Amino acid sequence: MAPGHVFWAIFYFACLCSASLANNAKVNFREKEKKILDQILGAGKYDARIRPSGINGTDGPAVVRVNIFVRSISKIDDVTMEYSVQLTFREQWLDERLKFDDIGGRLKYLTLTEANRVWMPDLFFSNEKEGHFHNIIMPNVYIRIFPYGSVLYSIRISLTLACPMNLKLYPLDRQVCSLRMASYGWTTADLVFLWKEGDPVQVVKNLHLPRFTLEKFLTDYCNSKTNTGEYSCLKVDLLFKREFSYYLIQIYIPCCMLVIVSWVSFWLDQGAVPARVSLGVTTLLTMATQTSGINASLPPVSYTKAIDVWTGVCLTFVFGALLEFALVNYASRSDMHRENMKKKRREMEQASLDAASDLLDTDSNATFAMLRQCEVHMQAPKRPNCCRSWLSKFPTRQCSRSKRIDVISRITFPLVFALFNLVYWSTYLFREEEED
């Protein structure tokens, strides 16, 4: 081989080696990201005020797909009818102006932390009362731009949302609280919100609420028409079931115990006036305090709630036990007055008989006694009455009516209360199943 040819062969080989070493050298992708961002977001190349084109570059509306991740639900307030939720909110749309070269698949996406650098949908929460972003330690927000122009916006926010409630079945009720998201200024001709396909709403595992259970959630659309146009809207309905065990322990069982304690006065002697009055008044005041405490934790609605029926009937039973003693006391005094009158009448009759016996002889007395005995034997026998014979075992002859009222109350009050419980639980549990 000629010396010139050898020289050119060595030179060519050296060039190949240097090119190979240059390709194998480490590429500074952060520097590449800066250049790409300056290229696609540079002055005069991208205007964040202009919305993206529609599907396939048409002049149709920009499509934004939404999904949310519910991190926690801190409270559900019955008085103010609102609930607080913390969630990660995500939006994704296609902006073909942001396409870039991914360097052979090595650059997966670009990351931004300033939302004003690119066009953003004007979404707002229509039933929001309060809300704030999270900025500890850094603002919890990011924007990812993918090579084909797709933009992902993610942010963590806390919201207090309105939740109108129907408390007719309280505390056996279920409540549906909504989260509504809509466009504020862009009509459906320019912007359309859609739920992300697959799994648009995610909930953190082991979500715990003090007095509620999240049974399920449903996604839907709620587009609204106004005199300025039609606006795209998304909503998710959260179905909460109230935990009944808390109210059973705190309200229903104590009310039952107060009603039963008020029945103790039926077994006390009718002469124990201080004991029976103190027991009746104490249970009545305790029941009234319990009722006012329950109503203080609820809004003043115009309809009757299930808990109102329960406390109202329990209060009526306690008040009825107090009135029963007033009736017993009146009957006792009436019986004593009647017995005194009978006693005086018997004394007067005895005095009359003693005076008449002095005028009659022994034979006439014997004849009168025989005639009276015949009259007694000739009277028709009375048919036995089961109720009277059963009730006659309890009262004494001196205070029959007052004792009889106590005996009847010992049976009537528990039976009526048991019947009320049967009707109450059957009615409201059946209505709860109907609403389901």
Side-chain angles (χ1 to χ4, degrees):
M1 181 180 294
H5 291 166
V6 173
F7 172 77
W8 286 110
I10 295 173
F11 178 76
Y12 180 72
F13 180 75
C15 290
L16 290 176
C17 291
S18 62
S20 177
L21 290 174
N23 289 333
N24 291 331
K26 188 176 181 180
V27 179
N28 189 346
F29 288 102
R30 304 291 76 80
E31 187 67 24
K32 291 288 185 181
E33 286 185 23
K34 178 182 179 304
K35 291 181 179 179
I36 294 173
L37 286 174
D38 290 341
Q39 179 183 357
I40 63 177
L41 297 177
K45 295 183 179 180
Y46 183 87
D47 193 343
R49 298 173 299 176
I50 307 301
R51 70 169 180 88
S53 302
I55 300 175
N56 297 325
T58 62
D59 196 32
V63 177
V64 178
R65 298 192 178 273
V66 176
N67 76 302
I68 60 175
F69 175 66
V70 179
R71 292 182 172 272
S72 65
I73 299 175
S74 58
K75 69 172 182 177
I76 301 176
D77 198 331
D78 299 316
V79 178
T80 56
M81 291 193 179
E82 63 186 22
Y83 72 105
S84 299
V85 60
Q86 182 188 129
L87 51 87
T88 297
F89 174 75
R90 304 185 186 98
E91 294 176 305
Q92 192 164 10
W93 65 93
L94 183 64
D95 193 341
E96 296 181 351
R97 297 172 294 175
L98 299 175
K99 289 182 179 180
F100 63 90
D101 183 14
D102 60 355
I103 315 177
R106 297 182 187 181
L107 197 58
K108 294 183 178 180
Y109 53 80
L110 304 174
T111 302
L112 293 177
T113 56
E114 300 176 1
N116 58 354
R117 297 289 302 275
V118 297
W119 177 86
M120 293 290 299
D122 61 342
L123 181 140
F124 78 106
F125 297 93
S126 58
N127 60 332
E128 172 209 352
K129 287 186 174 182
E130 295 179 0
H132 66 272
F133 302 118
H134 293 264
N135 297 315
I136 300 176
I137 299 176
M138 293 293 292
N140 298 166
V141 58
Y142 68 79
I143 298 175
R144 289 177 181 173
I145 303 174
F146 294 89
Y148 52 91
S150 178
V151 181
L152 173 63
Y153 174 73
S154 177
I155 187 170
R156 187 165 73 100
I157 52 179
S158 291
L159 299 170
T160 299
L161 304 163
C163 179
M165 298 182 182
N166 186 349
L167 300 174
K168 289 184 178 180
L169 298 182
Y170 177 91
L172 299 167
D173 57 332
R174 284 178 168 84
Q175 300 298 336
V176 178
C177 295
S178 298
L179 175 62
R180 294 174 175 265
M181 300 161 284
S183 172
Y184 189 80
W186 297 97
T187 63
T188 52
D190 295 309
L191 178 62
V192 173
F193 289 110
L194 297 176
W195 285 112
K196 182 181 178 181
E197 296 178 358
D199 196 7
V201 178
Q202 301 160 338
V203 180
V204 65
K205 293 182 179 179
N206 302 321
L207 180 65
H208 178 71
L209 293 170
R211 290 183 292 174
F212 287 88
T213 300
L214 178 60
E215 288 193 327
K216 60 182 178 180
F217 50 87
L218 302 172
T219 57
D220 201 357
Y221 295 92
C222 53
N223 291 6
S224 60
K225 290 184 179 181
T226 66
N227 56 2
T228 58
E230 182 180 1
Y231 297 89
S232 183
C233 175
L234 303 176
K235 75 171 182 176
V236 53
D237 292 330
L238 304 173
L239 178 60
F240 296 102
K241 179 182 179 182
R242 198 181 298 271
E243 288 291 343
F244 180 68
S245 57
Y246 169 81
Y247 301 93
L248 180 65
I249 296 172
Q250 297 294 326
I251 296 177
Y252 284 90
I253 292 179
C255 288
C256 280
M257 294 173 65
L258 286 173
V259 172
I260 294 173
V261 167
S262 68
W263 298 342
V264 175
S265 63
F266 302 155
W267 274 265
L268 296 178
D269 186 77
Q270 59 184 358
V273 176
R276 296 187 70 161
V277 171
S278 300
L279 182 62
V281 172
T282 301
T283 53
L284 183 61
L285 292 177
T286 306
M287 191 66 216
T289 304
Q290 179 87 344
T291 303
S292 62
I294 295 169
N295 292 330
S297 61
L298 293 172
V301 294
S302 59
Y303 48 81
T304 302
K305 304 179 290 294
I307 194 68
D308 295 335
V309 176
W310 174 266
T311 54
V313 172
C314 290
L315 189 63
T316 302
F317 270 94
V318 174
F319 184 66
L322 186 61
L323 290 182
E324 189 271 350
F325 171 66
L327 182 61
V328 166
N329 188 268
Y330 172 77
S332 176
R333 289 186 285 107
S334 178
D335 290 340
M336 291 178 63
H337 178 71
R338 189 173 66 252
E339 289 296 326
N340 290 335
M341 294 298 295
K342 287 183 179 179
K343 186 176 180 180
K344 290 181 181 180
R345 192 180 300 111
R346 284 196 298 268
E347 290 177 355
M348 294 176 63
E349 290 178 354
Q350 186 64 33
S352 301
L353 290 175
D354 291 341
S357 61
D358 295 337
L359 301 176
L360 298 175
D361 54 4
T362 306
D363 293 338
S364 62
N365 286 339
T367 304
F368 176 77
M370 291 177 63
L371 289 174
R372 188 168 183 82
Q373 187 174 7
C374 291
E375 289 179 358
V376 171
H377 283 290
M378 292 181 66
Q379 288 180 353
K382 296 181 178 180
R383 298 182 62 183
N385 192 317
C386 297
C387 295
R388 289 183 178 179
S389 61
W390 178 74
L391 291 174
S392 63
K393 297 178 182 178
F394 299 94
T396 59
R397 293 183 59 83
Q398 295 179 352
C399 304
S400 57
R401 282 199 304 173
S402 58
K403 284 289 185 179
R404 192 165 292 176
I405 292 172
D406 272 341
V407 172
I408 294 174
S409 299
R410 294 172 193 174
I411 307 300
T412 305
F413 273 71
L415 285 179
V416 175
F417 190 67
L419 180 62
F420 162 70
N421 273 269
L422 179 62
V423 174
Y424 179 87
W425 296 112
S426 300
T427 301
Y428 283 103
L429 291 178
F430 180 70
R431 287 179 62 181
E432 183 185 14
E433 291 177 359
E434 278 189 342
E435 288 198 353
D436 292 345

